[in-house]
Amino acid sequence: MRKQSSLAGRSRSPFRRPLQALVMLFALVAGALTWSAPAQAHGTIISPATRAYQCWKTWGSNHTNPAMQTQDPMCWQAFQANPDTMWNWMSALRDGLGGQFQARTPDGTLCSNNLSRNSSLDKPGQWKTTNVSNNFSVQLYDQASHGADYFKVYVSKQGFDPKTQTLGWGNLDFITQTGRYAPAQNITFPVQTSGYTGHHILFVIWQASHLDQAYMWCSDVNFG
Ligand SMILES: [Cu+2]
């Protein structure tokens, strides 16, 4: 019986092998697409760069380089924790918050938008900073052109140390809330501050316009 069935199997193999090869090829391609393509296309603040975007831009094409461990340890730990955080720099979103940002975002989870897959972004440390003056521009790049109901902008208080402290709501100064912006791939708005020196976290909430979809990010800035 075994012999017969194996013979039968062999006789079918010219048909089965190409089919198996096709199935495997499809699985490989599907797997590669799932891994490399963003789950959905959205956006982030590219200037001053958000944490995940800065890491992606600096190391994305070179993310296995061991030099990152000493040159940019916070990006290193983020890539170690979950490289998807960087590949999906545009997808730090939650739907349906109804504007309840503080109530639904516990202290210590602000920089990840309370997304556990991005918790590496909440870690204090030597994140690379962008130099800014008291008055600077914030630039959203949005592949999906959602537009904005508004942006809310905060800066960590003078005296708060992003290198050693985890960010909570009580550590933030509210700076401004913008008006609406029509759908566009690039939205730039001005921010005016005073009295800040050194390393601060710029915390921005983007309430997108196509549905109740909220993004939150931390950008590390150095007030010169
Ligand atoms: Cu979107």
Side-chain angles (χ1 to χ4, degrees):
M1 286 300 279
R2 277 184 68 83
K3 212 165 201 175
Q4 269 182 352
S5 72
S6 92
L7 269 172
R10 200 176 299 153
S11 73
R12 278 204 305 270
S13 67
F15 300 98
R16 280 169 66 195
R17 273 198 199 128
L19 185 64
Q20 282 174 347
L22 265 176
V23 167
M24 279 185 66
L25 185 66
F26 178 78
L28 274 171
V29 169
L33 284 175
T34 310
W35 181 247
S36 62
Q40 292 164 292
H42 315 276
T44 195
I45 304 295
I46 60 168
S47 180
T50 55
R51 287 178 170 175
Y53 184 78
Q54 185 267 321
C55 290
W56 174 81
K57 200 174 148 208
T58 309
W59 299 101
S61 60
N62 194 20
H63 70 282
T64 57
N65 185 344
M68 192 195 329
Q69 193 164 6
T70 48
Q71 290 175 16
D72 200 345
M74 297 318 290
C75 289
W76 172 263
Q77 63 86 31
F79 272 106
Q80 297 304 302
N82 183 7
D84 176 69
T85 299
M86 270 58 69
W87 307 147
N88 278 302
W89 52 263
M90 73 299 286
S91 302
L93 65 91
R94 279 184 293 163
D95 290 332
L97 292 189
Q100 300 298 303
F101 307 121
Q102 185 161 350
R104 298 182 60 180
T105 312
D107 285 350
T109 69
L110 276 63
C111 295
S112 65
N113 195 8
N114 197 26
L115 299 165
S116 57
R117 66 174 187 269
N118 289 350
S119 61
S120 62
L121 303 177
D122 293 314
K123 299 243 156 60
Q126 301 265 10
W127 294 94
K128 295 291 182 189
T129 57
T130 302
N131 290 326
V132 294
S133 312
N134 286 340
N135 303 330
F136 57 96
S137 292
V138 173
Q139 186 184 352
L140 174 84
Y141 171 60
D142 171 18
Q143 299 164 327
S145 296
H146 288 319
D149 286 354
Y150 54 82
F151 296 89
K152 279 175 175 278
V153 180
Y154 304 79
V155 172
S156 61
K157 291 180 183 295
Q158 189 67 27
F160 174 85
D161 186 358
K163 293 175 193 66
T164 58
Q165 292 178 269
T166 304
L167 188 67
W169 292 96
N171 305 120
L172 292 171
D173 291 331
F174 174 69
I175 305 296
T176 191
Q177 175 171 332
T178 74
R180 296 182 67 88
Y181 287 89
Q185 282 209 327
N186 288 285
I187 295 174
T188 301
F189 57 89
V191 171
Q192 295 174 352
T193 71
S194 67
Y196 297 128
T197 57
H199 185 173
H200 284 256
I201 294 175
L202 174 73
F203 178 67
V204 178
I205 300 173
W206 170 33
Q207 181 68 25
S209 286
H210 62 309
L211 50 88
D212 180 6
Q213 187 168 83
Y215 298 69
M216 300 181 193
W217 315 274
C218 290
S219 298
D220 293 270
V221 295
N222 182 56
F223 285 94

